[in-house]
Amino acid sequence: MSSTLSGLGLTLMSIAGFSAYMDHVGASYALFKVFEKPLKSIKSPYVLLIISFVVTQFLVIFIPSHAGLALLLMVTMYPILIRSGVSKLSALAVIATCQFIDHGPGSGNVILAAKTANVDPATYFISHQLPTTIPILIAVAITNFFVQRYFDKKEGFIFNREQVEQELSENISSIKNTPKLYALLPIIPLVLILGFSRIFDSYIKMNVPVAMLISTFIAIIFEIVHKKSFFATLDSIMVFFKGMGHLFVITVSLIVCGQVFATGLSSVGFVDILVDYAKSIGFNEIAIIIFISILLAVSAFLMGSGNAAFFSFAPLIPNIAKSFGVETITMIAPIQIMTGFGRCVSPIAPAIIAVSTMTNVNPLQVVKRTAIPMLVAGIVNIICTYIYL
C-alpha cells in the first residue's frame, strides 16, 4: 500500500482530481463545444456518425473516464446526432464505445502498463500505443459505418423530427454556459506531459502529478478571473481533493488488491505452471499474448470493467514475458489495448447502463451494435501485434 499510494496511486488520484475539477468548471463541456459547429454542418447521418466517433477518440485523451465521457456526450453530442437523422441506437453505440481503448498518458491503465514495463507514460503512448491504436480506430470507424447502417435498415428506422424533439425535451438536461477559452484547460496536462518528456528530449522532466497540479492551479486562475471571486473560487479546490478521494476508494484500493492477488499467485507457482503448460502445448510468444488478451477481454466483459481485469493481471506479465524471452512492453501493450474491448460489449458496464438508462433502452440492444466493431478491433490488434513482434 505504501509504495502504491506514493507512486501509481498518487498519479491516478491527481488525474481524477483534475478531471473532477474540469467537470466542475465546465471545461470538459467547453472542449466539446469547439467541435459542435463543424459536426452540425455535416449533412449525411452516417458520415456524421463516423466523424463523431473520431472526435470521441480525441476527447478521451483529455477526459480519461469511460462513464464520465459517455455522460458528457449524452448531453452534448447525442442531441446533435439524433437531430441530424442518426438513429438513437446508432448514436448510443458510438457513445458507448467512446473509450473502447484506454489511450493517452492520462489513462490509469496506460500509466500502470508503462510503470510495469518501466517506460515513461508519454513514450508508451507515442511509441507503443499509437502504431497499433491508429489502425484499430480506422478499422472500427469503417465497421461502425456499415454495421449501424445495416441494423438501422434491418430494424426499419425512419427519422421522425417531432418525436426526436419530444424525446430530447424529456431526457436531456441543460449544462451551464462556460467561456470557450475553457476548452484549453483539459489540454494543458497533455501539453506539459508530452512537452517535458523524452519524446522531445526535454532537459526538464515532468511527471503526471506535477502536470495535473499545475493544470489545476491554472484552471483556478481562469475561474478567479471569470467569476471575479477570489475566496469562493479557492474553496472549489475541495472538488479536486474529493475527486482524488473518490478514485482512491474505487481504483487505488482495487490496484492494491490486484497486486496482493498477483503476488499470491506468483508465490504459489501459478505463473510458472501457466508458462510451463503454455510451452508444453506449443504456445509461442504471439500465442500467449493472444491467449492472455482474450482472457482479459472476457474478464472485462464479465465484470463490466477493463480496469479490474487489467489491474489484477498486469503485475504477472513481466515474469511471463521473461519466460518467453520477450520484453515486457512487447507483451503488455497489446494486452492492455485489448482489455477495453470487453468492457464495451458488457451490458453491466457503468457507461453502457448509464446511456441506456438515460434513453430508456435495453443495454442488450446497445451491446448488440457494439459487438461487431469490437470484434474487428480485437482482430486488428492481433494482426498489429504479429506484425510488430
Side-chain angles (χ1 to χ4, degrees), residues 297-317:
V298 171
S299 299
F301 165 77
L302 295 174
M303 292 186 282
S305 169
N307 290 357
F310 186 70
F311 289 166
S312 299
F313 209 88
L316 300 175
I317 294 177

Side-chain angles (χ1 to χ4, degrees), residues 171-212:
N171 294 308
I172 303 300
S173 60
S174 60
I175 286 185
K176 64 178 181 178
N177 294 323
T178 53
K180 290 183 179 180
L181 191 61
Y182 275 40
L184 295 174
L185 296 179
I187 302 174
I188 293 174
L190 188 70
V191 173
L192 294 175
I193 293 167
L194 294 180
F196 296 105
S197 71
R198 296 189 184 98
I199 300 295
F200 296 101
D201 295 323
S202 172
Y203 174 75
I204 300 171
K205 298 295 184 290
M206 183 174 296
N207 59 30
V208 175
V210 172
M212 293 300 164

